[in-house]
Amino acid sequence: MEHFALGHWLLVLAYLTSVVGCALGLACAVQARHAANPRHRLRWLVLAAVSIGGVGIWLMHFVAMLGFSTPGMPVRYDIFRTVLSAILSVAAVFAGLLVVGGRAKFGWWRLALGGVITGLAVNVMHYTGMSALRVKGDFGYDGVLVALSVVIAVVAATAALWFAVFLDRLSLRLLAGFVMGAAVTGMHYTGMAAVRMNMDMNAPDPAGVEVFSFLFPVFVLAAIAMAVPLCAVLMAPPVRSQAAEVPASEGEVVTV
C-alpha cells in the first residue's frame, strides 16, 4: 500500500514553487507579445517556457514527489525518464506559448489552442515523470481521475493565459500566476489520487536512484532557471513603451 508522507508544508511549498515559476513565465510571455522584433520575441518565449515548464510545472512535480513513499520499501527513479519529463515540459509549454504569445494581436482561437497545449503539457510532464517511478511492484491509474486531471489543467491554464495576455494590471497578472499554479498543483494531486499501487514485498528492489541523490543539482538548475528570466523582466522596459516602438504598418499591436 502506497503512502504519501505529505505534510501541509510540502503541499504549500509545491504550490508556491509553481506560482513563482508560472507568474515569472507569464510575465515573460507578456514581454514577448510586445517585443519590437521577432528575435526578441522568440527569446522572451524561450524564457517563459523555461520558467513555466521547468520551474512552474516540473520543479513543482519534483517537490511534491519528495513526499511520496512506500513504507518499509524503497522508491527509485529512472534518471533518463526524469530528465525527459523536464525536456518535454519545457518544449510543450514553448509550443503553447508560441501560439498564444507569439503575436501581439489577440485572437480567441490562439488563446484556446494555447491553453489546450499548455494544459496538456502539464499532463505530459506528470505522467512521463511518473513513468520514471520504480517501486517493489507495479501501478496503474483510475481512468476517470486521469481524465479529470486533464480537464483541470487545460481549463485553468487557459484562464491563466487569458489573465496574462488580456489584462494590463500587474496585480491581475500575478493573479494569473496563482491560477496557473493552482492548475499545475491541482492536476498533480488529482493525478496522484488516480494512482493504484500493487506492492509486492517479495519483488526485487527496484533499479534507479533515490530522489535525494539528485536533489542538489535540481535546485541549482532551478535557481538559474528563475534568476535569468527574473533579471530579464526587471531590466526590460515597460510593455507600453515597447509597443510604441513597433511600426504601425505591422498591424499587430493592440493595447491590452
Side-chain angles (χ1 to χ4, degrees), residues 45-170:
L45 290 178
V46 170
L47 291 177
V50 171
S51 298
I52 297 174
V55 178
I57 297 176
W58 188 85
L59 185 59
M60 177 271 150
H61 172 86
F62 183 86
V63 170
M65 290 304 293
L66 292 176
F68 177 83
S69 68
T70 52
M73 292 179 281
V75 174
R76 302 286 186 269
Y77 290 87
D78 180 281
I79 287 292
F80 174 77
R81 296 196 180 195
T82 300
V83 173
L84 178 62
S85 68
I87 295 173
L88 288 175
S89 179
V90 174
V93 169
F94 178 75
L97 291 173
L98 195 62
V99 172
V100 74
R103 299 276 184 175
K105 185 177 180 180
F106 179 78
W108 287 106
W109 72 269
R110 288 195 185 105
L111 176 64
L113 182 58
V116 169
I117 295 175
T118 306
L120 291 178
V122 181
N123 288 272
V124 168
M125 187 290 310
H126 176 82
Y127 292 109
T128 302
M130 287 301 294
S131 72
L133 185 65
R134 299 290 182 265
V135 296
K136 295 186 69 168
D138 55 28
F139 59 91
Y141 296 96
D142 181 297
V144 174
L145 288 176
V146 169
L148 179 60
S149 71
V150 173
V151 172
I152 290 172
V154 170
V155 171
T158 302
L161 289 174
W162 183 85
F163 272 115
V165 304
F166 197 65
L167 300 174
D168 187 47
R169 287 163 50 189
L170 176 61

